[in-house]
Amino acid sequence: YSNFIDELRVYVRGGTGGMGYPNLGGEGGRGGDVWFVARERTTLKSIREKYPQKRFVAGSGANSSVKALKGEKGKDCEVHVPLGISILDENGKQIGELNAAGEKFLAARGGLGGSLATHFLPCKGQRRTVHLDLKLIADVGLVGFPNAGKSSLLSKISHAKPEIANYAFTTIQPELGKIMYADYKQISVADLPGLIEGAHANKGMGHKFLKHVERTKQLLFVVDVSGFQLSTKTQFRTAFETILLLTKELELYKEELVTKPALLAINKMDLPCAKDNLDELMTQLENPQDFLHLLEEEMIPANTLEFREMIPISTYTGEGIEELKTCLRKSIDEQAEQVNEEYRKKKLLLLQTSK
């Protein structure tokens, strides 16, 4: 997975409280807290490089004294983390998540200062080991088998410059690009490592890929119009079979993924037999139930996807690229409007019930 890090284990400890002052009933200051704060342009890799020990400890509270009966609180420790972080405890249970810039999570609370209740002895701060798990947040996630042309597509529609080569696993780490429109609207697109059959069972890059799909608003399936074969040892799959297998992999990992709005980009339309293959694929997608017998039963998804748009493209000649960008914009805008409408209805309902 090369330089990209999407999980990190760190130790956090709240500061110890300050000593109380028994003679005058003085209270020691509370220990500082450890906070995770979501910041843009931050990566888990930069955290690991800056803090190789991966230990974050807050300051101790000040002792109570004749000059200051109430000791000052210890200094808080703020750790800047990327957006899209889930915080898990040692048992793997999620205890928090940070999705927007400025959101904070209290990772370790500081100990109380010494007071009458504690016989003027300070308390130690909370200490624990937590896992930071990153799931990329993007408007659109590219889904496809290796060599479908996802990296090429990302470089065509955005300013990203992913590594592109003619072998199966070009993408071994997620790439984020932004589509810029004339009215300055931006849509973020994530090119994720290529799925393979059995990805849900963590074959290939299985879960490392699939967990990033969870945070994307929409999916853009990218398939090679002429079909796909990973190697000479694996079976050749037509474009239609590829779509079904991709759907099955998403479904087996997490069923909700198949409910996301999806579009289909049918790539490599510059190849000689592309037109015939496209006609055949369109016929199959119109009535998928009639062609499910082409696959083994265990590979057939429970739900066949209905694509909002199906756009034939060629990343080589540029055919269909502008149309695809327009369709993505329209789909994202429609989804945003739908979400706003639902929010308005909820607000209205709350107002009516409160009256």
Side-chain angles (χ1 to χ4, degrees), residues 67-334:
K67 289 179 181 176
L69 286 178
K70 176 73 177 166
E72 277 192 26
K73 183 179 183 287
K75 192 180 178 190
D76 286 351
C77 171
E78 281 199 357
V79 187
H80 295 158
V81 298
L83 276 57
I85 283 285
S86 297
I87 300 122
L88 315 173
D89 65 14
E90 282 201 276
N91 302 318
K93 184 183 173 223
Q94 186 169 317
I95 51 176
E97 64 177 12
L98 302 170
N99 293 321
E103 283 185 357
K104 297 174 83 172
F105 174 80
L106 180 59
R109 194 180 288 280
L112 293 171
S115 64
L116 185 63
T118 63
H119 303 293
F120 300 99
L121 295 172
C123 299
K124 286 184 177 179
Q126 187 183 11
R127 60 183 73 195
R128 57 181 171 181
T129 301
V130 293
H131 295 261
L132 302 177
D133 189 35
L134 175 69
K135 291 174 187 171
L136 287 180
I137 299 175
D139 296 315
V140 180
L142 301 184
V143 178
F145 280 146
N147 249 14
K150 300 193 308 300
S151 299
S152 303
L153 178 60
L154 187 71
S155 67
K156 279 277 183 195
I157 61 176
S158 75
H159 296 286
K161 291 181 172 58
E163 183 187 330
I164 299 162
N166 189 27
Y167 51 84
F169 284 101
T170 314
T171 310
I172 53 170
Q173 65 183 53
E175 288 275 358
L176 267 177
K178 275 194 163 66
I179 308 176
M180 312 285 281
Y181 292 91
D183 62 351
Y184 303 107
K185 162 88 174 175
Q186 295 181 16
I187 287 178
S188 55
V189 183
D191 172 24
L192 307 153
L195 273 172
I196 60 168
E197 288 177 41
H200 70 276
N202 220 6
K203 282 186 189 170
M205 295 190 169
H207 289 178
K208 278 194 182 290
F209 163 86
L210 286 161
K211 75 171 187 180
H212 292 299
V213 183
E214 289 180 51
R215 291 280 174 93
T216 56
K217 292 177 188 170
Q218 301 199 359
L219 305 177
L220 174 60
F221 278 60
V222 185
V223 300
D224 185 335
V225 71
S226 55
F228 168 72
Q229 189 172 17
L230 184 64
S231 71
T232 49
K233 293 176 185 174
T234 58
Q235 203 172 331
F236 173 79
R237 301 292 187 191
T238 65
F240 177 69
E241 290 171 340
T242 302
I243 292 165
L244 291 181
L245 287 166
L246 287 168
T247 310
K248 183 71 173 174
E249 288 303 332
L250 294 178
E251 200 174 67
L252 286 169
Y253 176 72
K254 197 166 269 189
E255 230 169 302
E256 303 93 87
L257 294 182
V258 189
T259 62
K260 286 180 185 284
L263 292 87
L264 174 64
I266 305 153
N267 194 17
K268 306 195 183 178
M269 288 304 295
D270 51 282
L271 296 177
C273 299
K275 185 75 179 72
D276 296 338
N277 289 334
L278 178 66
D279 292 341
E280 185 186 356
L281 176 60
M282 287 306 196
T283 307
Q284 290 168 327
L285 287 172
E286 274 174 31
N287 298 297
Q289 300 301 325
D290 299 344
F291 299 95
L292 294 181
H293 64 273
L294 297 170
L295 275 177
E296 297 89 335
E297 202 171 321
E298 66 273 11
M299 292 183 172
I300 298 168
N303 303 291
T304 47
L305 273 174
E306 283 186 24
F307 295 106
R308 288 186 167 199
E309 300 279 356
M310 292 183 273
I311 309 104
I313 63 163
S314 167
T315 53
Y316 183 70
T317 64
E319 178 196 336
I321 298 294
E322 287 307 312
E323 188 194 341
L324 176 61
K325 285 163 77 171
T326 307
C327 289
L328 285 171
R329 169 75 185 264
K330 182 170 163 251
S331 188
I332 290 287
D333 287 349
E334 281 173 3

